């Protein structure tokens, strides 16, 4: 059976001041009327009913997630007691799924991506699941054909085409999907290398979406991260017991955080990549919001009440009750919230993270 695991525990610090500790970017409507998390669930369609859908988030966000996704069983929304990156998150989900369904196939994806159209995404995931069923030890990921030499994404180098019978079993439309053996995973490259990747035509952006058997990822963690898996197993052994929360907090905090890419993917042998038939945007910065929402005649992306004179190439966000007026403004990010306003150079939005760090250092928790 296919189970969907959505990772929704990020802090979204580059979206400060809208993104806060109690309401990070995945719980915000940054790309439409629905929040990023709600959109991630919506696009699944009939791929998985509620009992096959799992959300992993931070413990402090569980109640907020339950309010946004009331259709899910409450025990399918898991709150990690602290942040330990994606490998422990995925390992915990795999162990819990395997406890109920030893043959479980997992599709793992972040909550903070915009993917369209839904039917193409659903079909690609179904095809990936068929590839896994064909070869149960296989790991499948999705590659995004790059449109520019990005230095903020990891890359996947494709190898030879994958010979498979799964296209037919997954439906007629799946015959138009292209799959390859993965040659290498590459880290975020410098600009010159990213240009080489783009020019070669053999590289994809790493989407961070994976499909595999729960047993496969458990085995991989047992080989490469045995201490992590042992602690995760203690958590699962205590699940539904009186000591559950105490064991969860103690054992999870003792795990060294590591991404699933470092923990498993870079050493995995049987990995396939499907060239994504859908459009994809990793909503990591305010620039992504501008890409998704579009711009006006002056190159501005506006949300809320704004009056501009000689204002170009800027991202301005407020609400309908607070006017933001700009004069002679070029290439800025201006974000107004009830208790904080950001004014930043559009080309230096990575520094927004530094603001959050300084707020923490000064103890100004009311703005975090």
């Amino acid at each position: 059976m296919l189970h969907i695991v959505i990772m929704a525990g990020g802090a979204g610090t580059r979206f400060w001041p809208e993104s806060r500790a109690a309401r990070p970017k995945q719980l915000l409507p940054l790309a439409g009327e629905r929040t990023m998390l709600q959109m991630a669930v919506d696009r699944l369609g009939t791929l998985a009913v509620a009992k096959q859908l799992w959300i992993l988030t931070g413990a402090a966000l569980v109640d907020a997630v339950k309010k946004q996704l009331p259709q899910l069983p409450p025990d399918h929304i898991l709150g990690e007691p602290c942040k330990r990156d994606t490998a422990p998150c995925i390992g915990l989900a795999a162990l819990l799924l395997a406890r109920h369904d030893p043959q479980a196939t997992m599709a793992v994806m972040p909550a903070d991506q915009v993917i369209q159209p839904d039917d193409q995404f659903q079909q690609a995931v179904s095809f990936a699941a068929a590839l896994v069923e064909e070869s149960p030890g296989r790991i499948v990921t999705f590659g995004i054909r790059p449109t520019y030499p990005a230095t903020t994404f990891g890359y996947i180098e494709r190898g030879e085409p994958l010979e498979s019978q799964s296209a037919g079993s997954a439906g007629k439309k799946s015959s138009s999907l292209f799959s390859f053996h993965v040659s290498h995973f590459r880290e975020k490259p410098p600009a010159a290398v990213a240009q080489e990747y783009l020019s070669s035509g053999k590289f994809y952006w790493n989407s961070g979406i994976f499909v595999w058997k729960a047993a496969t990822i458990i085995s991989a963690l047992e080989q490469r991260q045995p201490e992590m898996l042992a602690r995760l197993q203690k958590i699962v052994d205590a699940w539904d017991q009186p000591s559950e929360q105490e064991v969860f907090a103690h054992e999870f905090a003792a795990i060294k955080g590591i991404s699933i890419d470092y923990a498993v993917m870079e050493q995995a042998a049987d990995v396939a990549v499907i060239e994504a038939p859908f459009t994809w945007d990793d909503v990591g910065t305010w620039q992504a919001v501008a890409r998704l929402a579009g711009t006006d005649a002056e190159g501005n992306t506006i949300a809320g009440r704004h009056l501009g004179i000689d204002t170009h190439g800027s991202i301005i966000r407020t609400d309908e009750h607070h006017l933001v007026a700009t004069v002679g403004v070029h290439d800025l990010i201006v974000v107004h919230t009830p208790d904080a306003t950001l004014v930043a150079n559009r080309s230096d939005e990575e520094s927004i993270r530094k603001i959050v760090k300084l707020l923490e250092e000064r103890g100004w928790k009311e703005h975090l």
Side-chain angles (χ1 to χ4, degrees), residues 42-159:
D42 292 347
R43 78 173 59 100
L44 297 173
T46 58
L47 271 179
V49 297
K51 68 178 182 179
Q52 296 165 251
L53 178 58
W54 304 76
I55 310 295
L56 276 84
T57 187
L61 301 177
V62 167
D63 288 342
V65 171
K66 287 180 179 178
K67 288 179 181 178
Q68 291 201 4
L69 302 174
Q71 73 272 31
L72 262 62
D75 61 349
H76 281 223
I77 299 171
L78 311 181
E80 299 172 344
C82 55
K83 295 178 182 178
R84 287 296 181 267
D85 217 323
T86 54
C89 166
I90 290 169
L92 176 62
L95 287 169
L96 288 171
L97 288 178
R99 188 174 68 155
H100 298 292
D101 179 7
Q103 301 303 316
T105 297
M106 298 171 61
V108 181
M109 59 198 69
D112 53 357
Q113 298 179 344
V114 172
I115 293 171
Q116 295 176 329
D118 291 352
D119 62 338
Q120 295 274 5
F121 173 75
Q122 293 161 20
Q123 188 172 338
V125 172
S126 295
F127 178 45
L131 290 178
V132 170
E133 291 298 329
E134 180 182 85
S135 179
R138 177 179 289 155
I139 291 173
V140 181
T141 187
F142 297 86
I144 312 300
R145 185 171 287 280
T147 55
Y148 64 95
T151 58
T152 56
F153 299 146
Y155 285 75
I156 300 169
E157 183 179 1
R158 78 183 191 204

Side-chain angles (χ1 to χ4, degrees), residues 169-346:
S169 64
K172 268 187 180 179
K173 293 182 180 178
S174 295
S175 62
S176 62
L177 296 174
F178 301 101
S179 57
F180 303 86
H181 293 282
V182 169
S183 177
H184 294 97
F185 286 88
R186 305 291 186 180
E187 294 304 312
K188 299 173 183 178
V193 176
Q195 182 59 58
E196 291 177 7
Y197 289 172
L198 179 66
S199 300
S200 76
K202 295 182 179 180
F203 288 82
Y204 299 111
W205 289 334
N206 187 347
S207 68
I209 304 172
F210 306 102
V211 180
W212 46 44
K213 288 286 186 181
T216 297
I217 205 67
I218 292 170
S219 176
L221 290 173
E222 185 175 27
Q223 293 176 30
R224 301 178 186 111
Q225 299 290 326
E227 182 178 346
M228 174 196 297
L229 188 69
R231 293 191 180 278
L232 292 174
Q233 187 62 61
K234 288 181 181 179
I235 295 170
V236 173
D237 289 344
W239 212 255
D240 297 328
Q241 303 299 317
S243 61
E244 174 187 319
Q245 290 304 313
E246 180 183 353
V247 174
F248 194 1
H250 179 268
E251 296 296 334
F252 205 79
I255 292 172
K256 181 180 179 181
I258 185 173
S259 72
I260 196 67
D261 297 277
Y262 282 121
V264 173
M265 299 305 295
E266 292 185 355
Q267 296 85 24
D270 186 4
V271 186
V273 58
I274 296 172
E275 183 175 311
F278 45 79
T279 62
W280 172 93
D281 203 307
D282 176 42
V283 186
T285 67
W286 287 117
Q287 301 276 23
V289 174
R291 288 195 301 270
L292 294 166
T295 59
D296 60 19
E298 286 74 39
N300 300 311
T301 299
I302 309 296
R305 180 165 290 192
H306 170 253
L307 179 63
I309 298 173
D310 188 23
T311 297
H312 304 280
S314 295
I315 301 168
I316 299 169
R317 292 176 66 89
T318 178
D319 57 42
E320 294 301 329
H321 306 289
H322 184 96
L323 171 67
V324 171
T326 55
V327 180
V329 165
H330 303 270
D331 300 320
L332 289 187
I333 300 169
V334 180
V335 182
H336 167 81
T337 68
D339 67 340
T341 301
L342 169 72
V343 181
N345 190 308
R346 185 166 174 168

